Amino acid sequence: MADLKLGKLPDRTPVKLGITLSPELHQALKAYARAYEQAYGAPEPLTELIPAMLAAFLESDRGFLRARDAALRGQQ
């Protein structure tokens, strides 16, 4: 097996997830989408913004990252 600098790519198969939102959260998300459009000059549908928002949230949650890393180390 070759010792490549690039590791094996992760699974990129999309997963469809259905959720129910409160009316207040839905309105807040629509307001965020409007703010995004004003900031970047291009509209994006909520279906594109929400996954990016969740990923950014998870990547910034230090407690979660520590817990996830600890769990991964425990499995090795």
Side-chain angles (χ1 to χ4, degrees):
M1 180 161 87
D3 188 18
L4 300 177
K5 191 168 200 111
L6 178 65
K8 184 177 179 188
L9 295 178
D11 182 6
R12 295 173 310 280
T13 305
V15 175
K16 187 170 179 123
L17 179 66
I19 62 169
T20 302
L21 304 174
S22 69
E24 295 83 8
L25 179 56
H26 185 241
Q27 290 303 316
L29 288 168
K30 290 189 332 185
Y32 189 92
R34 287 190 299 273
Y36 181 95
E37 182 175 1
Q38 287 177 349
Y40 297 108
E44 288 289 345
L46 288 178
T47 54
E48 295 293 327
L49 288 175
I50 292 170
M53 293 167 71
L54 288 171
F57 173 81
L58 292 174
E59 291 168 7
S60 69
D61 187 324
R62 293 179 188 264
F64 167 70
L65 294 173
R66 281 192 299 272
R68 184 183 65 181
D69 291 345
L72 289 173
R73 283 192 305 274
Q75 292 177 355
Q76 293 178 346

